[in-house]
Amino acid sequence: MKILGIQVLRGPNIWSINRKKLIQMRLDLEEMEQNPTNLIDGFRERIEKLIPSLHSHRCSKGEPGGFLARVEEGTWMGHVIEHIALEIQTLAGMDTGFGRTRQTKTDGIYNVVFSYIEEKAGAYAAEASVRIAEALINNEEYDLEGDIQRMRELREMERLGPSTGSIVDEAISRDIPWIRLNKSSLVQLGYGKNQVRFRATMTEKTNSIAVDIAGNKDETKRLLQDSAIPVAKGVTIADIADLPDAIKKVGYPLVFKPLDGNHGRGASINVKTDEAAAAAFEYAKQYSRKIIIEKFITGYDFRVLVIDHKMVAAALRVPAHVTGNGQQTVQELINKENEDPRRGYGHENVLTEITVDRDTLDLLDKKQYTLESVPPNGEIVYLKSTANLSTGGTSIDVTDLVHPQNVFICERISRVIGLDICGIDIMAENLTQPLPENGGVVLEVNAAPGFRMHLAPSEGLPRNVAAPVIDMLYPPGKSARIPIIAVTGTNGKTTTTRLIAHIVKSNGTRVGFTTSDGIYVQNTKLMKGDTTGPVSAEFILRDPTVEFAVLETARGGILRAGLGFNKCDIGIVTNIQEDHLGISDINTLDDLTKVKAVIIGAVKRSGWGVLNADNKYCIKIANNADCNIAYFSMDEKNPVIIEHCKKGGMAAVYENGYITIKKGDWKIRVEKVTHIPLTFGGSVDFMIQNVLAATLATFLWGYKIEDIRMSLETFIPSAAQTPGRMNTFKFKEFKVLVDFAHNPDGFNGIKNYLQSIEATEHIGVISATGDRRDSDILETARIAAQMFDKIIICQEKYLRGRKQQDLIDLLLQGIQEVKPDMEIIINNNGDDCLKYLMATAKSGSYITILSDTIDNAIGKVSEYLDKEFGV
């Protein structure tokens, strides 16, 4: 078997609108296409032995053991690999269960699709599942545990930490979109101007001065002491020579900790001798230049969490420990403790596995123990000097037991330090009594405190501490989203997108939009190129200045990675025509319709799908839409329009020379097409269609008719406003039209327009695109032959895996089928071709350059025009 490709889908896609995180593996079964599982001796027994948990997979039979029953009956290896990929992820701590395996139209080649939790681990699972299947087929030994451990490592490298992840999960539950801004824990919630950012548990509301204070334990202690908050007696030193004086001043027993430390790193507790003090100093010195030496307070370690100056949770933290039984060594007790199913690798479970480090050995040494010592029955042996969960500690929820005065103290601390989210470490006998009464003290205050101990305590009630974070960042009435209009279709996407963006910004809103020629915010191009995929959409949604997004969304991005947004307010499908067929398993217009339908599937229920009622494939999309539908049409009497409006539906139609909005029985005329520059005096039908789509979408959003009308009148087609779309250049003796029409439908649109243009000679410059079907290239050539008197073939680029001469031959064949005697010139150098055109054009000629045949044709023609007029 051979993996032909692995794609990571991150947004709504052709397989699922709701399951956004999918791996799509293109797999060639090769000889296994003829060998289903029932023809492979012993396969069922081997797969069940290697992965016994596959028994729980229900498969199509809908019951436990269903998948293995299918294996017994006989199923194809793509299906088996899908189930293996899902199960090994689950075994690696990433429980996920959606899968689809579909044969393509090429024999033996399948798309194996399955969900993932972490991207790199999911891609690894794809490759591993094929290796596992091949080992099972060949009856070879396989190290499954090695793959599972590797996926755990990839998961820990990639996943958000439990605190960050909990905030993201809470946001998702409230339908707040999110974007990960780096490989660590920097996250954006919301889109555009309504975004907020946080990192770990620090938010954009977190005061940087407060973070600095919390990071300096000495400064924190002084501020708390000045505010009459009980703290431990202590000093700060930087030189070991000052250690004797510090010991004398504070007195044993002592706690040593680095001034700038966190997570308990470098800390030593209950230090009672000069020798141990010197060792503790050197240990702490590894983490900070200055060392805090405090009185060791007996009692229990508590963590209180305060969010937005309100206490939300409290936990008793217990350092990692084992309890002796008089029979097993410390190491054996640790191994036994790590077998607890609640403990896992990294953050995969409620508790973390206990590891042995210097801190562990030092604590054992103080008890004159080693890892081989056998503690007596009932003795608790502490293995860490701090109670951090990341080092194997446990937590017990005590939120409901905290005395009101202690609640007041903690909430006051958050304001004294100035943190919106803070973790307060307290050493006390309990929190049920006020700290001043039981001698408890505040040890330190933490910026970006971990949430894990509160989210999933080892004992007590879990607390959803992420909820108050979202409450603080998005209080009632504050939106997390900005309006999104997504535009797709075969032709007209870019012009429709630009026109909508023009209407939006003409009405005083800062718009960000993506097109096939670049990314724009308001009037500024920020990035050049074909920017119609999910990365470009996310670029706009990340921009904090954008108030409204209009996103051209092409098929390629949808197929490659899914949408770059999870929901939009309005989705538009301009039309579905033959183009890009035969690529990425999209072979028919029905296939292409499924791709374009992803946009309508992503429209929120209260939003609108805007569809072309003159296109039967667009009409098909409406049948499965889960949103409001509105249609546009060039014919008011279109049966779809009549039936739709009879039911009270919304539509935009071209009637009696007007762009008109219809709802039910009433209609309102927006503007006469002859007054809309984009329609070229009403002579270009496909431009009228673009105007209809844009007018309908913006009306549905809520813009007033008069404001839309003004915007339509001020949108002037030009190289600046609509690059590559009907750009006309008027020279003294002739005219040049540049348009990026590249498929039969686009060529027909230009042909219809040229029929209204009087010229002494129509000259066309055409080329082919290598990734189109032969039939499409031939048809564009035939149409070109119908509209031009002379054709220049300039096949300079866009070969896309084909030979240049093969594309030229197809164009020649198509032209000569229509006009065998037509004058055809072949010039595959764009600059020379343009120079020839400018030098030989006759008075009254009309030159049309199609398909972006000449690199930067607009810029180069503009330069010739400037020279002619002496600019």
Side-chain angles (χ1 to χ4, degrees), residues 691-710:
V691 171
L692 286 168
T695 299
L696 180 56
T698 50
F699 178 78
L700 291 170
W701 176 251
Y703 288 115
K704 297 177 181 178
I705 291 293
E706 56 267 31
D707 293 330
I708 296 172
R709 180 186 299 120
M710 181 193 70

Side-chain angles (χ1 to χ4, degrees), residues 205-224:
K205 293 178 176 290
T206 304
N207 187 306
S208 61
I209 296 175
V211 175
D212 285 343
I213 292 170
N216 185 319
K217 294 178 174 61
D218 205 31
E219 185 75 5
T220 300
K221 187 174 179 181
R222 185 187 61 77
L223 279 174
L224 296 181

Side-chain angles (χ1 to χ4, degrees), residues 329-609:
T329 66
V330 171
Q331 183 63 66
E332 288 171 336
L333 291 169
I334 292 172
N335 295 342
K336 182 180 179 182
E337 179 64 29
N338 282 338
E339 291 174 1
D340 184 335
R342 295 179 300 169
R343 292 194 182 273
Y345 181 83
H347 293 142
E348 71 180 0
N349 287 342
V350 173
L351 301 176
T352 300
E353 292 176 349
I354 300 171
T355 58
V356 175
D357 57 13
R358 177 196 177 281
D359 189 26
T360 307
L361 299 176
D362 284 351
L363 287 171
L364 292 174
D365 188 57
K366 287 176 183 177
K367 294 177 66 69
Q368 298 184 337
Y369 278 3
T370 69
L371 291 170
E372 301 308 314
S373 300
V374 178
N377 188 41
E379 181 182 354
I380 296 176
V381 179
Y382 288 100
L383 303 169
K384 304 292 178 184
S385 56
T386 61
N388 295 81
L389 267 64
S390 58
T391 61
T394 58
S395 66
I396 301 169
D397 179 71
V398 295
T399 305
D400 297 329
L401 303 178
V402 181
H403 192 281
Q405 187 172 340
N406 291 336
V407 173
F408 170 75
I409 289 171
C410 292
E411 292 179 348
R412 184 163 172 262
I413 287 170
S414 75
R415 293 188 181 275
V416 169
I417 303 302
L419 287 170
D420 60 334
I421 301 175
C422 70
I424 302 164
D425 291 343
I426 295 173
M427 184 64 71
E429 285 298 320
N430 57 65
L431 292 182
T432 58
Q433 295 175 285
L435 296 185
E437 292 183 13
N438 65 14
V441 296
V442 175
L443 299 177
E444 59 185 76
V445 178
N446 300 274
F451 285 0
R452 186 178 170 202
M453 71 186 75
H454 309 295
L455 293 166
S458 44
E459 294 180 37
L461 187 67
R463 306 285 173 171
N464 181 8
V465 295
V469 176
I470 300 298
D471 291 339
M472 175 179 68
L473 297 177
Y474 285 104
K478 179 177 179 180
S479 174
R481 296 179 177 271
I482 59 172
I484 297 175
I485 296 179
V487 183
T488 194
T490 302
N491 295 314
K493 298 185 296 295
T494 300
T495 301
T496 303
T497 297
R498 284 181 165 275
L499 179 55
I500 292 171
H502 177 75
I503 295 169
V504 171
K505 65 186 175 184
S506 295
N507 284 277
T509 302
R510 183 178 293 275
V511 64
F513 57 104
T514 61
T515 70
S516 57
D517 61 89
I519 298 175
Y520 298 78
V521 172
Q522 207 68 351
N523 299 313
T524 303
K525 180 187 279 191
L526 300 178
M527 195 173 293
K528 183 180 179 182
D530 187 348
T531 58
T532 56
V535 173
S536 303
E538 194 171 277
F539 181 100
I540 288 295
L541 299 174
R542 287 201 316 263
D543 192 311
T545 69
V546 171
E547 299 172 332
F548 199 121
V550 186
L551 307 173
E552 181 180 346
T553 308
R555 64 183 291 286
I558 298 173
L559 290 170
R560 186 172 57 253
L563 298 181
F565 50 90
N566 61 357
K567 287 184 181 179
C568 57
D569 298 272
I570 297 175
I572 301 172
V573 184
T574 57
N575 47 67
I576 297 173
Q577 307 286 355
E578 292 191 349
D579 192 22
H580 291 95
L581 298 181
I583 305 171
S584 301
D585 299 321
I586 305 303
N587 299 302
T588 67
L589 286 175
D590 282 325
D591 294 338
L592 188 58
T593 300
K594 292 176 183 176
V595 179
K596 302 299 184 182
V598 172
I599 289 291
I600 304 303
V603 176
K604 62 185 185 182
R605 286 190 174 185
S606 60
W608 291 87

Side-chain angles (χ1 to χ4, degrees), residues 73-92:
E73 295 165 1
T75 188
W76 270 260
M77 205 50 62
H79 181 216
V80 173
I81 286 167
E82 169 205 322
H83 279 268
I84 292 174
L86 290 169
E87 185 58 23
I88 61 176
Q89 287 185 89
T90 298
L91 293 173

Side-chain angles (χ1 to χ4, degrees), residues 42 64 174 202 260 286-287 332 376 459 588 607 614 715 818 824:
R174 302 188 189 194
M202 285 194 296
D260 303 318
Q286 297 175 27
Y287 298 91
E332 288 171 336
E459 294 180 37
T588 67
D614 300 331
F715 188 73
V818 177
I824 303 171

Side-chain angles (χ1 to χ4, degrees), residues 215-217 257-262 287-290:
N216 185 319
K217 294 178 174 61
K257 54 188 175 183
L259 179 68
D260 303 318
N262 55 38
Y287 298 91
S288 177
R289 191 173 64 85
K290 292 185 177 183

